[in-house]
Amino acid sequence: MTASDPTGTPSSGAAESSPNIDGGDVAGESAVATARRQLGRAAAHVDVDRGVVERLKHPTKLQQVSVPLRRDDGTLDVFTGYRAQHDDVRGPYKGGIRYHPDVDAEECIGLSMWMTWKCAVMDLPFGGGKGGIAVDPKMLSEDETERLTRRFAEEIRDVVGPKRDVPAPDMGTGPREMAWFMDAYSMQQGETTPGVVTGKPTVIGGSYGREEAPGRSVAIVTRAAIDHYDRDLEDATIAVQGFGSVGANAARLLDEWGADVVAVSDVDGAIYDPAGLDTANVEGHDERPGMVSGYDAPESMSNAALLELDVDVLIPSAVGNVVTAENVDDVRADMIVEGANGPTSFAADAILEERDVPVIPDILANAGGVTVSYFEWLQDINRRQWSLERVHEELEAEMLKAWNAVRAEYEGSEMTWRDAAIAVALSRIGDAKEMRGLWP
């Protein structure tokens, strides 16, 4: 299937709201529509050929496959899988594989666009990709998940590879799925090929520090942003929506550095202590589901109420589209740092801009995952594993380098932080496309 097939119209079945070009949120607008609006807005600030911008509105390829699965009871189900490959002018496609019932073509294309910007912001030699299977992983046994993963690896084997497209974990997947994917691919290649995916267990070529990397980068960028606005981290109050792998790691690191993490949440609800939570004793949802709400805190509340707390920094780290036109007027945080992918709608972004509330975008803040994935890819190519200390040092250096590039673009301009981040990405992508040209 080519790029022209699926990208023209938004999905009518999407349940959540997303942005309209005139500033209102329209139910059913797809991730790719949001990504295109953000692209168009940032492109107005960058001297990039309009043809390049037009090309970046569309993926290079979209692969849609059927993934048959023999269930444990002997019945056969068929699921739909996708792999969107947005742009590879700077290197192989890079992006996660998610297992979720709402996975569809437009979501994968939109997320692959964001991955292109993210890789370019971090100055990594990758382009953007994204994929997944429309399935609820909670409804699969471990054996069924393994069979599904191995069959998906076979179905998209011709479009992935260490020098072509390098998947990674995403929502609903993790190191074990990456191990199965790598093994299935390697069996067909006739040789062990650890570099085909990142996010693997360390015993088979994974990198130390990969799982906590997105949360670690959120913490690093939050600290830098607080310093940029001449505030003291030790006086900062922080609320984190989503205490999974991203939110928990970010919260614990910020707590360790002296900030007051006053609220965190999981799918069951939120806990709040104005004096600051002991985040080391709050179990993340990935560690033990339900234990956030089970923590002995002075006050409990809903996830929606957490978003409205009067704090210095709000870090939405759960799912997309949680800050929208419907609730943005109730958001009282002085700053938002995005831990999740796309947690702030286009319309909410515009309202926050009018209110002078800075929003540090996901394509910068949570880019630690793809950055350590790059480190893993390098380690696999060289067959030499780095220490955790080196991973942490290299990640901090890369995050601060990217922060400084975006900050330089932001300062003295009329751009938001998101515009500035995409502008940095577009400049680098545009330069690469100009040097390579268009053939034929």
Side-chain angles (χ1 to χ4, degrees), residues 241 303-309 314 316 322-323 327 330-333:
Q241 187 199 43
N303 266 281
L306 180 147
L307 296 171
E308 300 171 6
L309 289 173
L314 171 65
V322 295
V323 180
N327 66 359
D330 297 319
V331 173
R332 293 184 289 165

Side-chain angles (χ1 to χ4, degrees), residues 19 34 38 316 319-324 328 336 338 340-350 352 359-360 362 418:
T34 303
Q38 293 171 348
V319 295
N321 269 337
V322 295
V323 180
T324 67
V328 68
I336 296 176
E338 295 184 331
N341 290 325
T344 312
S345 79
F346 189 87
D349 247 352
L352 290 166
V359 179
I360 312 301
D362 51 357
R418 192 184 313 280

Side-chain angles (χ1 to χ4, degrees), residues 44-386:
H45 300 282
V46 184
D47 184 18
V48 174
D49 185 272
R50 297 301 96 182
V52 168
V53 176
E54 186 61 31
R55 286 163 66 188
L56 291 172
K57 292 179 182 178
H58 307 276
T60 302
K61 296 177 184 176
L62 174 68
Q63 189 85 356
Q64 178 175 324
V65 297
S66 295
V67 189
L69 171 66
R70 182 72 64 187
R71 305 302 292 258
D72 291 341
D73 63 4
T75 59
L76 180 70
D77 283 338
V78 180
F79 299 93
T80 302
Y82 305 91
R83 188 65 184 175
Q85 297 173 324
H86 178 245
D87 187 81
D88 67 344
V89 70
R90 291 169 47 87
Y93 304 104
K94 188 82 188 73
I97 291 175
R98 57 176 51 186
Y99 293 173
H100 191 276
D102 294 335
V103 168
D104 61 19
E106 287 160 353
E107 178 188 62
C108 290
I109 293 168
L111 292 171
S112 73
M113 291 175 69
W114 286 327
M115 280 302 302
T116 298
W117 318 148
K118 186 179 292 187
C119 291
V121 165
M122 295 306 303
D123 207 12
L124 303 177
F126 290 132
K130 207 74 170 187
I133 303 175
V135 61
D136 184 352
K138 297 186 178 113
M139 303 304 292
L140 302 175
S141 70
E142 182 173 344
D143 287 344
E144 288 171 340
T145 304
E146 179 175 357
R147 291 195 292 273
L148 187 75
T149 301
R150 290 181 179 276
R151 184 57 185 252
F152 185 50
E154 175 59 21
E155 293 294 341
I156 65 171
R157 182 169 61 87
D158 290 343
V159 300
V160 299
K163 298 179 181 179
R164 181 177 296 176
D165 184 348
V166 185
D170 203 285
M171 187 185 301
T173 61
R176 70 172 188 174
E177 286 78 16
M178 296 304 102
W180 293 330
F181 192 106
M182 186 273 280
D183 184 67
Y185 180 87
S186 297
M187 292 291 288
Q188 294 296 334
Q189 294 297 108
E191 61 181 8
T192 299
T193 314
V196 67
V197 292
T198 57
K200 304 177 296 296
T202 55
V203 295
I204 54 169
S207 176
Y208 291 113
R210 170 58 183 83
E211 285 192 80
E212 64 265 31
R216 193 172 190 87
S217 69
V218 168
I220 292 168
V221 169
T222 299
R223 181 181 61 187
I226 289 172
D227 181 67
H228 172 81
Y229 287 101
D230 295 322
R231 300 190 180 189
D232 190 339
L233 181 65
E234 294 187 356
D235 294 330
T237 55
I238 297 173
V240 180
Q241 187 199 43
F243 207 65
S245 60
V246 178
N249 282 294
R252 288 170 181 162
L253 200 52
L254 288 165
D255 190 4
E256 180 183 323
W257 291 342
D260 288 326
V261 179
V262 297
V264 300
S265 71
D266 64 8
V267 68
D268 297 317
I271 53 176
Y272 173 63
D273 185 345
L277 299 164
D278 181 1
T279 58
N281 287 326
V282 181
E283 292 189 77
H285 189 75
D286 291 350
E287 299 160 337
R288 191 174 173 191
M291 283 306 295
V292 168
S293 52
Y295 178 86
D296 185 19
E299 187 175 344
S300 60
M301 61 182 62
S302 66
N303 266 281
L306 180 147
L307 296 171
E308 300 171 6
L309 289 173
D310 185 5
V311 292
D312 294 312
V313 184
L314 171 65
I315 305 179
S317 301
V319 295
N321 269 337
V322 295
V323 180
T324 67
E326 283 71 32
N327 66 359
V328 68
D329 288 338
D330 297 319
V331 173
R332 293 184 289 165
D334 294 335
M335 180 193 311
I336 296 176
V337 179
E338 295 184 331
N341 290 325
T344 312
S345 79
F346 189 87
D349 247 352
I351 295 168
L352 290 166
E353 181 184 5
E354 290 176 0
R355 288 170 46 192
D356 291 324
V357 177
V359 179
I360 312 301
D362 51 357
I363 61 170
L364 173 63
N366 71 18
V370 71
T371 303
V372 177
S373 279
Y374 170 57
F375 298 163
E376 182 176 328
W377 184 72
L378 290 176
Q379 294 168 69
D380 289 337
I381 290 172
N382 294 288
R383 297 295 200 267
R384 185 180 181 94
Q385 196 167 53
W386 297 2

Side-chain angles (χ1 to χ4, degrees), residues 207-210 212 386-394:
S207 176
Y208 291 113
R210 170 58 183 83
E212 64 265 31
W386 297 2
S387 68
L388 179 60
E389 182 181 14
R390 180 178 176 185
V391 171
H392 284 172
E393 288 174 356
E394 297 268 2

